[in-house]
Amino acid sequence: MGTMELRHLRYFLAVADTHSFTRAARRCFVAQSALSQQIARLEAELGTALFARTSRTVRLTEAGRLMVPLAERVLADADEAVAQVRALVGLRRGRLRLGVIQTMAAVIDMVAVLDDFHRAYPDIELQVVNDSSSQLVEQVATGSLDVAVVGWQPEELPPTLGHRLLGQDPLVVVVSADHLLAGNAEVSLDELPGDDHLIQFRRGSGLRQHVEAAFSRAGARLDGSIEVAQVQDMVRLAARDVGVAVVPLSATAEVPNGARVLRLTDPLAVQPVTLAYDIRGTSPAVNTFLDTVQHHLINR
């Protein structure tokens, strides 16, 4: 291309679009004299005029009309090259801040996802935090986290967040071997004795939100509640007859001896697991992580 530069092509397209050296100079944030000089250099290098100029109009010559799509293609290719290189640099030097909830084991093996991601992109810095769904959603919305696995349905997320529903885990009731309903295979929440204590997960969690919604649908309530911060502690306390617990089925894979796991008759009683991210701007690291998650979902 000789001494031709990309800026020459940008100036040329600006004049072709505005039909004015003055307006093109404003668009390109350069002095009109400088823009005119660069257009003249481009025409000298090409050996032909690109514009027919009069005191009132600026119009493309035949050569100028031929040049427009060529210049657009060169600039598009240059922009794509820059984007590709920046994406590569982002995957080599980027950072991924991930938030996860406790209750997602049945839906996706996040440890396996992170293992694959780290092996493919070992130079990306990984930061993983655990918190309640409400806190994680807020942190993604404010930019403190890049992506989070939360216990909310997609429609419960703010409109600025993108989402992928990873799956849903049925909710079950855990009771002790001595409980009145221990011999049942399944129950409705309104069958639980009113003097039972409900062992609840912490406030702000998706699990607590969906358990409370299930009780509301059943028109049921229990006398008191006990709040704990670990799902497995809910199961262990229920097994000791401290109260009853409603937890995702995956949390009962290893229940203490004597505990009973009862299915719920409510088909809407589930723990959703959703991936949330900010759609207003994602980094190469986030996009690649989303692809890794999708690969695991397809091949599980």
Side-chain angles (χ1 to χ4, degrees):
M1 195 180 283
T3 59
M4 188 183 301
E5 300 178 13
L6 292 178
R7 60 174 176 151
H8 295 158
L9 300 181
R10 297 190 194 280
Y11 293 165
F12 161 72
L13 289 177
V15 176
D17 185 48
T18 62
H19 305 285
S20 166
F21 280 78
T22 301
R23 289 191 292 270
R26 285 199 212 101
R27 176 182 293 186
C28 297
F29 301 101
V30 296
Q32 180 178 337
S33 58
L35 182 139
S36 298
Q37 186 179 54
Q38 297 303 326
I39 294 294
R41 288 182 180 178
L42 178 61
E43 291 176 321
E45 182 170 343
L46 294 173
T48 187
L50 298 174
F51 298 101
R53 306 162 175 83
T54 69
S55 59
R56 294 186 176 182
T57 63
V58 176
R59 59 181 178 82
L60 288 165
T61 62
E62 183 178 354
R65 288 192 294 273
L66 177 65
M67 186 69 176
V68 168
L70 300 176
E72 289 175 338
R73 188 185 314 161
V74 170
L75 290 176
D77 288 345
D79 290 342
E80 176 64 17
V82 170
Q84 292 287 345
V85 171
R86 285 178 176 171
L88 179 61
V89 171
L91 289 175
R92 287 180 175 173
R93 303 175 186 171
R95 178 179 62 174
L96 181 70
R97 300 165 299 175
L98 170 67
V100 295
I101 55 172
Q102 290 184 39
T103 52
M104 60 175 177
V107 173
I108 191 166
D109 185 347
M110 192 54 62
V111 172
V113 172
L114 290 172
D115 178 33
D116 283 357
F117 183 79
H118 179 65
R119 289 177 186 275
Y121 307 101
D123 294 327
I124 292 183
E125 178 186 352
L126 286 173
Q127 297 178 359
V128 183
V129 300
N130 295 106
D131 214 327
S132 65
S133 292
S134 59
Q135 289 295 318
L136 294 177
V137 168
E138 180 180 350
Q139 290 175 64
V140 174
T142 59
S144 300
L145 289 175
D146 298 308
V147 63
V149 181
V150 299
W152 287 10
Q153 296 284 7
E155 60 268 21
E156 296 172 319
L157 295 170
T160 57
L161 297 190
H163 54 77
R164 294 185 187 179
L165 180 63
L166 304 182
Q168 301 189 109
D169 200 355
L171 296 181
V172 296
V173 179
V174 181
V175 299
S176 72
D178 298 326
H179 193 275
L180 179 65
L181 300 175
N184 292 29
E186 64 178 19
V187 296
S188 173
L189 291 177
D190 60 2
E191 297 179 69
L192 294 173
D195 58 354
D196 271 348
H197 282 76
L198 179 62
I199 304 168
Q200 281 274 50
F201 198 40
R202 58 185 174 179
R203 296 181 186 276
S205 65
L207 175 57
R208 179 155 181 161
Q209 174 180 321
H210 293 291
V211 169
E212 290 178 345
F215 269 91
S216 179
R217 284 193 300 273
R221 59 176 297 174
L222 300 184
D223 276 351
S225 66
I226 302 168
E227 182 176 311
V228 298
Q230 298 293 325
V231 175
Q232 287 305 316
D233 288 343
M234 296 171 63
V235 174
R236 293 171 61 196
L237 287 169
R240 290 175 174 268
D241 204 26
V242 174
V244 298
V246 182
V247 299
L249 177 62
S250 61
T252 64
E254 297 180 9
V255 295
N257 289 336
R260 299 290 186 267
V261 178
L262 317 179
R263 296 191 303 274
L264 281 173
T265 57
D266 180 3
L268 300 179
V270 297
Q271 165 72 357
V273 179
T274 300
L275 201 65
Y277 54 94
D278 195 334
I279 58 176
R280 292 171 297 188
T282 55
S283 68
V286 170
N287 289 330
T288 305
F289 179 76
L290 296 177
D291 290 342
T292 304
V293 170
Q294 187 65 28
H295 174 78
H296 274 255
L297 290 176
I298 294 173
N299 294 282
R300 64 181 176 181

